[in-house]
Amino acid sequence: MEAGGRPGGGMTEVKLAVLGGSGAGKSALAVRFLTRRFIGEYASNAGTNACFLWMPCYLLECIYTKHLCLDGRQIHLEIYDPCSQPQRGKLSLTDELHWADGFIIVYDISDRASFAFAKALLYRIRESHIGACKKMVESSLFLVGNKQDLCHMREVGWDEGQKLAMDNKCQFCELSAAEHCQEVMAMFTKVLRNITSNFKVKEKRRPSGSKSMAKLINNVFGKRRKSV
């Protein structure tokens, strides 16, 4: 695979992690985007494969893959869904942080505990990217308040979600995986556009192999000439 998330054959590979507390609707959002269908209620710790037998994509240990075309570019998308990620315990996220090109952090507006968990996830992700290009990290982060159809049971205000996103310099929206198909599609599309734009920036900044080698040779022999 070439650098910048671009495998051979002109296909761009994008790896997206959808994270959040148990019951926040991570799987529902991913499936809504991939199939335009809402999976309804199911036991997240049950046999996940049985829930997605009708999906037009491949499921392996909560990783969905799909090919799509975005702005004329062929995308090989992989979406990681931890399915039954616990809301308690240490947030290591080591594998996810090294694997993903972007993150969608989901919370349930009718569950304040899921909001607190989303806040902890954002902190962990940003903490791990302190040495990376902050602008790229920020544009690849999206905070989503799910289950807007449960406004009558709301525990987390829209302004609270907006403030959390602003504090972490990431994008934010509220929607309902159950009722807002177009909004879900638009949100995922925006995230993918941001990630692929980051790939383009990386490609522009990365010098070609010949230029890099020439620079290395000049540095080595240039220093030797000065020391003579």
Side-chain angles (χ1 to χ4, degrees):
M1 183 186 301
E2 297 178 19
R6 185 183 291 275
M11 182 80 70
T12 299
E13 184 176 77
V14 177
K15 297 179 178 180
L16 185 60
V18 182
L19 307 176
S22 177
K26 305 180 297 294
S27 298
L29 281 172
V31 172
R32 180 63 104 170
F33 170 68
L34 293 167
T35 70
R36 296 179 179 268
R37 295 181 62 176
F38 179 59
I39 61 177
E41 295 184 0
Y42 66 95
S44 60
N45 60 350
T48 308
N49 288 329
C51 298
F52 302 107
L53 290 176
W54 41 265
M55 290 184 63
C57 56
Y58 179 62
L59 174 64
L60 176 62
E61 296 179 353
C62 295
I63 292 182
Y64 314 91
T65 71
K66 186 177 179 68
H67 295 288
L68 62 150
C69 182
L70 179 66
D71 301 328
R73 173 182 284 204
Q74 294 298 315
I75 304 289
H76 173 76
L77 174 64
E78 294 185 4
I79 299 180
Y80 169 71
D81 170 19
C83 296
S84 57
Q85 188 177 54
Q87 290 190 185
R88 297 180 181 179
K90 187 176 180 180
L91 297 175
S92 61
L93 293 179
T94 302
D95 294 336
E96 292 91 334
L97 291 170
H98 284 88
W99 179 84
D101 300 308
F103 301 87
I104 294 176
I105 308 301
V106 187
Y107 68 91
D108 174 357
I109 68 167
S110 65
D111 179 10
R112 180 158 291 277
S114 72
F115 183 68
F117 190 70
K119 184 176 182 179
L121 285 170
L122 286 172
Y123 175 80
R124 180 69 182 88
I125 292 169
R126 293 185 61 78
E127 181 186 43
S128 69
H129 286 82
I130 289 177
C133 177
K134 291 184 179 180
K135 193 170 184 180
M136 288 185 178
V137 173
E138 289 160 6
S139 65
S140 302
L141 269 173
F142 213 115
L143 176 66
V144 177
N146 188 29
K147 304 189 182 181
Q148 199 180 50
D149 53 303
L150 300 180
C151 276
H152 58 289
M153 300 171 60
R154 181 188 288 275
E155 293 185 359
V156 183
W158 183 92
D159 55 335
E160 293 181 88
Q162 176 69 10
K163 184 180 185 303
L164 179 59
M166 290 179 65
D167 290 344
N168 288 275
K169 297 181 180 179
C170 65
Q171 299 179 76
F172 168 71
C173 74
E174 270 194 10
L175 48 73
S176 168
E179 298 182 353
H180 300 159
C181 181
Q182 293 305 317
E183 286 83 347
V184 172
M185 302 295 291
M187 182 270 293
F188 272 91
T189 299
K190 190 170 186 178
V191 173
L192 291 176
R193 281 201 175 105
N194 289 340
I195 293 173
T196 54
S197 293
N198 287 343
F199 289 164
K200 291 178 182 179
V201 171
K202 289 178 182 178
E203 289 167 1
K204 288 180 181 179
R205 289 181 177 179
R206 188 179 70 251
S208 65
S210 58
K211 289 183 179 179
S212 298
M213 184 59 69
K215 184 177 181 180
L216 176 62
I217 293 173
N218 287 335
N219 287 340
V220 172
F221 287 97
K223 289 180 181 179
R224 286 184 178 178
R225 282 196 293 268
K226 290 179 182 179
S227 62
V228 173

